Amino acid sequence: MADKAWGGRFSEATDKRVERFTESISFDARLAPFDIQGSKAHATMLSEVGLLTEEERKTICSTLDDIGKSIAAGEFEYHIELEDIHMHIERELTNRTGDIGRKLHTGRSRNDQVSTDVKLFIRHAIDHLVDLIEDLQEAFVGRCDRDQDVILPAYTHLQRAQPVMAPHYWLAWCEKLERDRNRLFDARRRTNVSPLGAAAVAGTSLPINRNRTAELLGFDTIATNSLDISSDRDFLIEFVSDLAIISVHLSSWAEEWILWCTTEFNFLSLRDAFTTGSSIMPQKRNPDVLELIRGKSARVIAANQHLLGLTKNLPLAYNRDLQEDKIPVFDAYDTVTACLELAAAIVETAELNRERIEARLEEGFLDATTLMEYLIKKGVPMRTGHETVGTLVSTCEKQKKRLAELSLEEFQQACPQIENDVYDILGVKNAIQAFVSEGSGGPKPVAQQLKAWKERIEARS
Ligand code: ARG
C-alpha cells in the first residue's frame, strides 16, 4: 500500500486486475520529457514563493534531469503498480532524494499536471507537423518548374472538363495544406494556455504563482477557471480535428494519384522504392503507400470521433475517462506524421508520363468551354452559346471528330457569329491560353501563383 500515492486512506491492496485495467504507463510513457519540464517549472515556482528552499529546488531539478536521461537511455523500468508516467517520475525522484522529492507535488494535482504535460506535447507535435506540412508543400512547389509545360485535364465528376497546367494541380494541394497549417497555428494559440496550478479541481490554499509557471513553460497566459481546467480536453479535440482534415486531404490526394497510376489513366509513374509488388502476379507494381495513406485516414477520423464520444457525457470536472484521451491523440499524431513524410517523398520522386498524357489530351472536348466563351465574346447569350456548343460536341461525337476538325461552314451553320478566328482558340493548347482570370489554370495565372508560392516559402526560411 505504501506503493500508492493514496496509500494512507486504504487498508487493502489494489486488485491486480484493477492495476492492469487502470494503468496508463503503457501509453503515456512518451510524456516523460514534458512531465520533467513541467515539474522543473513547478519546483522553481515553489522555491520562489517559499514552499521549497533553493537547495531543494536545485536537488529536485538536477535529479529530474538525471531521471530524464535514464529514461531517454532506456534504463528506466516501468511497473503498472505505479500507474502512469507522472507517478513513475515522482516515485523515482523520491527514491533518489527522499523527503525532498516528497515535496514536489505541493500545490499541484495530477489533474492539472496531466493537462500541462499533454499541452506541452501538443505544442511540440504542432510545431513538428507544421514543419512536415511545409516539407510537403515544398515538394509540390519544387516540381512545378519541372512540369511547367505539361497540360493536364481537370475533372469534375471524374469526367474530363477543362485543361489546366500541371502545376495548377500541385498548387491546389499546397492551398489545402496551407489551410491545414493555419488551422494548426490557431489550435496552438488556444492550446498554449497554462492549466498548471488549478490543482485537483478547486485550486489551492497555498501561495502558488500560476503566472510564473506559465511564463517558465512558455504558455501565453493562464486558464482562469479550475473546474474548466480540470475537465478541458477541447485542445485535444481541436488538434485531432485538424489532423482529421489533414488526413482527409492526404487521402483524396492519394486517391487521385492511385487513379493516375492505373493503366487506364497512365498519367503517373511512382518510383520502385515507393511501390510494392505482388506475390503471385509478376507484372504488378502497386501503389501500396498511397493506398495506406488513404486507408490510415480512417484511423485519424476515428480518433476524432473517439475524443468526442469520450467527453460528451462527462460532468465537471476530472473523470478517469479522460485518461483514455491520449490513445487516439498519439495514434492520430503518429499516423499523420508518417503519412506526411511519405507523401513528400512520393511527390518529389513521381514522374508524369508526358507522352501518354499529351497523346490523349484532345479526347473529352477540353476546349468546349473555351468555344462557348468565344461565342459570348461574339455577342451570343451564354445559354444560347452553351446549347450551340453542346450540339456541335454531339455532332463531333457522331462523326468521331474534334471540334477543331469541323469546317467553317459547319460552325456557321450552327451559329453565324462564328468566324475563321475560331480555329485560334480550338485545340487544348490554344484553349488553355484563354484561361486568364485570377486563380485559373492557364499558363499566366499559374505562373503568378507559382511566383507567390515561391515567395511565401522563401519568406519562411
Ligand atoms: N493516469 C491518469 C491520467 O492520465 C492520471 C490522472 C489521475 N487523476 C486522478 N484523479 N486519478 O489521466
Side-chain angles (χ1 to χ4, degrees):
M1 254 152 303
D3 260 8
K4 294 283 188 276
W6 55 83
R9 195 217 177 281
F10 285 65
S11 55
E12 199 183 18
T14 314
D15 190 288
K16 278 287 157 211
R17 288 166 298 184
V18 171
E19 281 181 343
R20 279 197 296 276
F21 190 67
T22 57
E23 64 85 24
S24 55
I25 187 63
S26 57
F27 52 88
D28 67 18
R30 67 192 287 178
L31 290 176
F34 306 101
D35 194 69
I36 288 170
Q37 190 188 356
S39 288
K40 284 171 67 182
H42 182 64
T44 301
M45 179 279 291
L46 290 178
S47 72
E48 288 170 2
V49 301
L51 288 166
L52 285 179
T53 65
E54 175 57 15
E55 255 337 278
E56 288 168 334
R57 181 198 70 78
K58 271 196 194 140
T59 306
I60 288 176
C61 288
S62 67
T63 312
L64 284 171
D65 281 336
D66 291 343
I67 295 172
K69 281 178 203 144
S70 313
I71 293 175
E75 291 158 1
F76 199 81
E77 266 186 44
Y78 298 116
H79 306 279
I80 56 165
E81 305 83 69
L82 284 174
E83 185 183 317
D84 58 23
I85 189 64
H86 322 288
M87 295 315 304
H88 274 84
I89 291 176
E90 190 186 330
R91 175 59 54 90
E92 183 65 15
L93 178 71
T94 303
N95 288 346
R96 296 191 190 189
T97 66
D99 272 350
I100 298 177
R102 293 171 72 87
K103 293 185 177 181
L104 173 64
H105 213 49
T106 303
R108 170 177 96 166
S109 144
R110 261 187 305 162
N111 296 348
D112 56 342
Q113 183 184 359
V114 169
S115 173
T116 303
D117 293 2
V118 176
K119 282 190 164 189
L120 294 174
F121 171 87
I122 297 295
R123 229 167 56 178
H124 169 84
I126 287 177
D127 294 344
H128 182 218
L129 287 166
V130 165
D131 282 347
L132 294 177
I133 289 175
E134 291 178 358
D135 290 347
L136 180 53
Q137 288 177 319
E138 283 164 37
F140 276 119
V141 170
R143 61 175 305 147
C144 285
D145 287 329
R146 220 191 322 154
D147 300 329
Q148 64 172 334
D149 51 344
V150 180
I151 300 172
L152 284 169
Y155 294 81
T156 61
H157 314 268
L158 206 53
Q159 303 289 318
R160 286 191 168 210
Q162 296 172 333
V164 295
M165 302 308 296
H168 202 48
Y169 266 96
W170 312 156
L171 298 178
W173 294 113
C174 285
E175 294 290 335
K176 293 185 197 302
L177 290 163
E178 187 64 1
R179 289 193 295 276
D180 293 336
R181 182 170 165 270
N182 285 326
R183 259 187 289 275
L184 287 174
F185 286 139
D186 287 346
R188 195 188 197 285
R189 256 192 304 115
R190 271 182 293 277
T191 301
N192 206 27
V193 174
S194 179
L196 197 57
V201 64
T204 172
S205 62
L206 297 166
I208 59 168
N209 182 349
R210 294 193 53 209
N211 284 305
R212 179 65 177 135
T213 43
E215 178 189 306
L216 287 166
L217 292 171
F219 286 115
D220 297 326
T221 176
I222 61 169
T224 42
N225 180 306
S226 62
L227 272 171
D228 172 45
I229 292 169
S230 187
S231 60
D232 175 30
R233 291 299 184 272
D234 294 3
F235 60 101
L236 294 182
I237 299 173
E238 188 174 355
F239 174 64
V240 173
S241 304
D242 292 353
L243 293 185
I245 300 175
I246 296 172
S247 47
V248 164
H249 286 155
L250 293 178
S251 179
S252 35
W253 162 74
E255 164 74 5
E256 184 164 273
W257 279 32
I258 289 166
L259 286 171
W260 286 9
C261 289
T262 57
T263 310
E264 286 69 16
F265 270 84
N266 203 358
F267 283 3
L268 194 73
S269 297
L270 303 179
R271 285 262 287 273
D272 278 355
F274 297 103
T275 53
T276 50
S278 157
S279 57
I280 174 163
M281 298 167 283
Q283 85 284 13
K284 291 296 289 286
R285 248 172 117 261
N286 296 326
D288 292 36
V289 175
L290 293 174
E291 291 168 272
L292 282 169
I293 289 175
R294 185 178 58 185
K296 283 172 192 280
S297 66
R299 282 163 66 163
V300 185
I301 294 165
N304 194 23
Q305 307 280 12
H306 185 151
L307 288 174
L308 290 167
L310 183 68
T311 48
K312 81 179 177 62
N313 284 343
L314 297 185
L316 293 176
Y318 181 84
N319 294 276
R320 190 60 178 272
D321 315 46
L322 293 176
Q323 174 172 291
E324 294 275 314
D325 60 1
K326 290 156 213 74
I327 298 169
V329 170
F330 293 153
D331 188 58
Y333 168 62
D334 293 339
T335 303
V336 173
T337 299
C339 291
L340 282 168
E341 277 171 359
L342 274 163
I346 288 182
V347 168
E348 264 163 36
T349 54
E351 284 298 340
L352 283 176
N353 302 335
R354 292 154 174 264
E355 290 82 37
R356 284 288 305 171
I357 293 167
E358 194 169 344
R360 299 188 54 196
L361 210 51
E362 296 298 340
E363 291 173 29
F365 303 98
L366 294 171
D367 50 358
T369 313
T370 312
L371 175 59
M372 182 195 69
E373 290 180 350
Y374 164 90
L375 295 183
I376 293 172
K377 288 177 195 157
K378 297 281 181 187
V380 177
M382 185 269 172
R383 285 288 161 223
T384 313
H386 187 283
E387 229 175 276
T388 304
V389 178
T391 314
L392 288 168
V393 166
S394 167
T395 308
C396 284
E397 271 175 342
K398 281 183 208 118
Q399 302 181 7
K400 298 206 182 346
K401 275 185 183 169
R402 302 191 282 121
L403 283 165
E405 288 164 351
L406 293 174
S407 67
L408 189 58
E409 293 73 57
E410 283 172 298
F411 274 126
Q412 287 178 338
Q413 219 161 25
C415 174
Q417 282 97 326
I418 299 182
E419 294 170 274
N420 208 27
D421 61 356
V422 72
Y423 295 105
D424 298 341
I425 57 108
L426 288 175
V428 171
K429 283 187 184 154
N430 291 329
I432 197 167
Q433 302 295 334
F435 289 88
V436 290
S437 62
E438 278 172 73
S440 63
K444 273 208 197 95
V446 171
Q448 269 162 17
Q449 261 188 83
L450 178 58
K451 185 168 171 276
W453 268 103
K454 284 180 176 171
E455 282 164 9
R456 192 179 286 181
I457 286 172
E458 187 59 33
R460 281 174 191 167
S461 48

